[in-house]
Amino acid sequence: MADPLFIACALAAVVLSGLAKGGFAGVGALAMPVMALAIDPVRGAAILLPILILQDAVGVWAYRRNWDGRILAVMLPGAAVGILLGWFFAAQVSEVAVLGVLGVISVLFGLQRLWVERGGAITLPSNSPAWVGFLFGIASGFTSQIAHAGSPPFQMWVLPKRLTRDMLVGTTAFAFAAMNWMKVPAYAALGQFSRDNLIATAMLAPVAILSTFAGVALVRRVDPARFYTLIYILMILLGLKLMADALLS
């Protein structure tokens, strides 16, 4: 917490995460690339994880009566497999390799979101079989474990089902709350819940709460098209930088 670069990146990451939970969906995926500018990406993800769990509690409570159990029953077992694969990957490879994968995920996420914002989509049948959902669950769990960015694979399978707004938001809240709790043993096994990391989390938590409320207040006052375009372009640029840093290390 004495490093000015870490403080700046951590505060920015937590604010982005809070804004995402407050209504700026997708913005939170920029948090990990920002954290990785100043700190080992695995450690940065571990610092953010308890904050995400705290924020998840709000969404789960708000939508506690609106969730689709069939979707969760298909995707969460796959997500558990993906989280296990993500843990194994992080445990076996170097920090540089994790940095490179985080960069690739960031670039792909940013490109995918820019494409969707312009009307593109990967369409799946609304009645695609459960095993397809299981595979997308694996992808969601893996990207969530590495980069806290499991939304795109989750949405690719769930959105074609055309759930009502509240059902979609509630199911998403329950799914990622469950995934984040699943990640706790993985990060514990990686030795990332150290005293220093938990102190950093505790100091950042109030900022996360305030930024969540700020997101709720600002979401109706900001031009979403320009805002999201800027965020996703920044995500691509940060992803390219992380990839370059990994290649040059």
Side-chain angles (χ1 to χ4, degrees), residues 21 49-64 173-174 176-178 180-181 212:
K21 298 295 183 179
L49 181 57
I51 293 173
L52 295 177
I53 289 173
L54 179 64
Q55 293 169 327
D56 287 334
V58 178
V60 168
W61 174 258
Y63 292 94
R64 61 191 181 278
F174 271 82
F176 285 97
N180 284 333
W181 275 107
T212 301

Side-chain angles (χ1 to χ4, degrees), residues 76-172:
L76 287 181
V81 174
I83 289 167
L84 184 63
L85 292 174
W87 162 78
F88 183 78
F89 175 80
Q92 297 299 317
V93 304
S94 67
E95 173 189 332
V96 172
V98 177
L99 192 70
V101 170
L102 175 59
V104 171
I105 291 172
S106 300
V107 171
L108 292 177
F109 186 102
L111 290 172
Q112 189 261 352
R113 295 310 304 172
L114 285 175
W115 187 41
V116 169
E117 290 292 318
R118 282 154 181 74
I122 296 177
T123 57
L124 291 171
S126 60
N127 61 344
S128 58
W131 65 266
V132 175
F134 181 83
L135 293 178
F136 275 91
I138 293 175
S140 184
F142 181 84
T143 53
S144 185
Q145 170 69 20
I146 297 295
H148 295 322
S151 293
F154 180 85
Q155 293 174 346
M156 287 176 194
W157 194 67
V158 174
L159 289 182
K161 299 185 180 304
R162 299 188 179 278
L163 303 177
T164 63
R165 183 198 64 184
D166 286 355
M167 190 67 72
L168 174 62
V169 175
T171 303
T172 302

Side-chain angles (χ1 to χ4, degrees), residues 224-247:
R226 293 182 180 179
F227 179 78
Y228 281 117
T229 297
L230 175 61
I231 288 294
Y232 298 138
I233 289 174
L234 285 174
M235 190 176 299
I236 293 168
L237 293 176
L238 280 174
L240 290 173
K241 182 187 184 304
L242 296 178
M243 291 167 63
D245 288 347
L247 289 172

